[in-house]
Amino acid sequence: MNVHIRRPASSAWVLGVTLGLAAACWVAAVRLMQGMDMGVATRPGSFGFFAATWMTMMAAMMLPGAAPAVARHIHLVRGPRGAPLFAGAYLAVWALAGVVAYALVRPHGPSAAGAVVIIAGVYELTPVKRWFRRRCHEAAGSGLRFGLYCAGSSIGLTAMLVALGVMSVLWMSSVAVLATTQKLLPEKTAIDVPLALAIVGLGLVIVVAPSLVPGLTPPAM
């Protein structure tokens, strides 16, 4: 009886801590990114600064959607002591994605950004995306496995963030909402297909009329 009472309490506690950490990372990320957003002309800066900012961003963006999985993990597998390891392994996957992003991100033009956004939208419609998303919903035994599945599900959205402005609070917030929603809610064609088409449409607008899209270039330009 006491075990059954303690487990939900532990899950609620871990859920609260995870969400609190994510909130703190949002505040830190916004501060780190002040003055750094140059739209598609954003430069990554030194690797140390980029890595610190990237990990703060990823914790802010990705932990809210992962919080239920962390709580589920400690309930089913290892108890509260397993939560830091699970969350740490999950974030390690996003740290690796940051290394790839740093190697690839360079100042570029709206056409290149639009092309990446179009590809991201098309990816949302693929069986690969759906497979990763389903596995992301199911995995709770390993933070590394959960991270790999969720990274595979959100890789298009993440690439879109990098292409549109990796230091942009606007695009960071937009991608965070989409990624979190997809982690928490099951697939639904009536929602997922229009969303994917909207992303493709955004990419086309960026290519054809970039001035219609806010935040692609610095205000001074």
Side-chain angles (χ1 to χ4, degrees), residues 24 31 45 57 92 97 103 123 140 165 167 174 188 197:
R31 290 182 177 178
M57 289 170 55
Y123 179 72
M167 298 294 175
S174 301
K188 193 168 185 180
L197 295 178

Side-chain angles (χ1 to χ4, degrees), residues 21-119:
L21 177 60
C25 287
W26 269 102
V27 174
V30 170
R31 290 182 177 178
L32 283 169
M33 293 159 63
Q34 283 182 350
M36 298 299 297
D37 181 18
M38 302 293 285
V40 295
T42 299
R43 296 182 180 277
S46 69
F47 178 75
F49 173 79
F50 181 87
T53 305
W54 176 269
M55 284 311 302
T56 305
M57 289 170 55
M58 289 300 106
M61 295 171 63
M62 301 303 176
L63 280 179
V70 178
R72 190 164 67 247
H73 171 78
I74 66 104
H75 179 68
L76 297 175
V77 184
R78 297 192 60 182
R81 293 181 181 180
L85 181 60
F86 184 90
Y90 171 71
L91 291 176
V93 175
W94 289 108
L96 180 60
V99 174
V100 176
Y102 184 80
L104 296 177
V105 64
R106 294 292 182 273
H108 51 276
S111 295
V116 172
V117 173
I118 291 171
I119 293 171

Side-chain angles (χ1 to χ4, degrees), residues 11 41 91 94 112 132 134 139 156 159 165 186 202 214 219:
S11 297
L91 291 176
W94 289 108
F132 275 120
R134 285 194 295 269
L202 173 63

Side-chain angles (χ1 to χ4, degrees), residues 82-177:
L85 181 60
F86 184 90
Y90 171 71
L91 291 176
V93 175
W94 289 108
L96 180 60
V99 174
V100 176
Y102 184 80
L104 296 177
V105 64
R106 294 292 182 273
H108 51 276
S111 295
V116 172
V117 173
I118 291 171
I119 293 171
V122 172
Y123 179 72
E124 293 293 303
L125 298 170
T126 64
V128 175
K129 159 73 181 193
R130 293 194 295 273
W131 186 86
F132 275 120
R133 185 176 176 182
R134 285 194 295 269
R135 296 301 181 275
C136 179
H137 276 264
E138 297 166 0
S142 162
L144 182 61
R145 185 178 295 112
F146 177 69
L148 290 171
Y149 288 148
C150 293
S153 175
S154 300
I155 193 66
L157 298 175
T158 307
M160 186 172 73
L161 168 65
V162 173
L164 293 176
V166 70
M167 298 294 175
S168 168
V169 175
L170 169 64
W171 296 118
M172 175 186 169
S173 303
S174 301
V175 170
V177 169

